Amino acid sequence: MTGGTLVAAGMMGTNIAIYGFNVLAARMLVPKEFGALTALFGIILVGTVTALGLQAVTARRLAVDPEHADEIISATVRVTVMVAVAVGLAVAASTVVLTPALKLGSYWPVVLCGAALVPLTIMGAQCGIAQGQERWGSLTAIYLGNGFGRLIGGTTALAISATPTSAMIGLAIGSWLPVLAGAKLLVDTRTASTRSADVHCCARRCCRPTPFLPTSC
C-alpha cells in the first residue's frame, strides 16, 4: 500500500470505530443522556482545534527543514506539553459555565472533556511529526488508536454504567491509546537520513562517528 492509501485506510477505520461507538451509545443511553453526550462531543471537537494547529505547524517545519528535525521535535514536545495542559485546564474550568448552559446534572462530564483533550492535543503533535517525516505507518497507527480508543474505552465504560459521566471517563482513558501508538515518535527523533549516516563507508572501510571527533576515513 502506498503512503496515501495506508493513511486513508487508517482514517476510514477511525471513522468506522467512532461511528460504531455513537451507534452503541445511542442504544445504551436514553435520548436525554445521549443528547448530553453529543453536546460533550462538541466541546471535544472545538478543543481539538489546537491539536490540528500543532499538527499542521509541526509537519510544515519538519518538511521544509529536515536537517534540523531533532531540534524541531524537541521544541515541539516542550510546547505540546504546555499547550495540552493549558487546553485541558481551560476546558475543565469552563464547566462552571457550560454545565448549567448544557443542563448537565454534574460538573464532572465537562471536567472529563478537559482530561480527554490533554492526550488528544499530544496526539496532534505526534501526527505532525509522523506527517512531516513521512512515517505513514505511524500516522495510520495513531489514527486507528484514536478511533478504537474511543470505541473500546467508551463502550466498556457504558457497559459498566450507562451514563454520560461514565462514557466520558472511558473516553478520557481511551484517548491515551493513540498517544501510546505514537510514543516512539517522541523518543526516536532521528530522521531517515540521520539514521543512514550512523555508519559512513569510504574506501571499502566503514567508520563509525565518535561523540566528540568528526568521522574520517
Side-chain angles (χ1 to χ4, degrees):
M1 299 178 68
T2 63
T5 304
L6 184 64
V7 174
M11 295 181 69
M12 182 180 295
T14 298
N15 290 329
I16 292 173
I18 293 175
Y19 180 74
F21 171 71
N22 290 340
V23 171
L24 291 172
R27 291 182 173 274
M28 299 173 73
L29 295 172
V30 298
K32 180 180 179 180
E33 292 181 337
F34 181 71
L37 185 61
T38 302
L40 295 170
F41 289 163
I43 296 174
I44 293 179
L45 182 63
V46 173
T48 53
V49 170
T50 304
L52 294 175
L54 285 171
Q55 178 179 350
V57 172
T58 303
R60 171 64 179 170
R61 292 190 63 192
L62 287 171
V64 301
D65 192 12
E67 293 81 6
H68 297 89
D70 291 356
E71 293 84 350
I72 294 172
I73 294 175
S74 296
T76 298
V77 171
R78 292 194 300 270
V79 172
T80 298
V81 171
M82 293 186 293
V83 171
V85 173
V87 170
L89 291 176
V91 173
S94 69
T95 188
V96 178
V97 177
L98 294 178
T99 297
L102 298 177
K103 298 181 179 179
L104 299 174
S106 171
Y107 288 107
W108 281 109
V110 179
V111 173
L112 291 167
C113 284
L117 282 169
V118 173
L120 291 177
T121 303
I122 297 173
M123 183 194 80
Q126 290 176 317
C127 289
I129 294 172
Q131 185 177 348
Q133 294 190 320
E134 298 184 358
R135 298 187 181 186
W136 308 124
S138 298
L139 183 59
T140 301
I142 294 170
Y143 282 147
L144 290 174
N146 183 29
F148 284 94
R150 177 178 295 193
L151 175 63
I152 298 171
T155 303
T156 302
L158 285 176
I160 297 173
S161 176
T163 63
T165 301
S166 179
M168 290 308 305
I169 293 174
L171 290 179
I173 297 174
S175 295
W176 285 100
L177 184 59
V179 176
L180 294 176
K184 186 179 179 181
L185 295 171
L186 304 179
V187 178
D188 183 12
T189 61
R190 298 177 301 165
T191 62
S193 61
T194 304
R195 288 191 293 270
S196 63
D198 282 345
V199 178
H200 299 276
C201 296
C202 61
R204 298 182 180 180
R205 185 165 58 90
C206 294
C207 306
R208 295 184 180 272
T210 63
F212 305 104
L213 298 177
T215 301
S216 62
C217 297

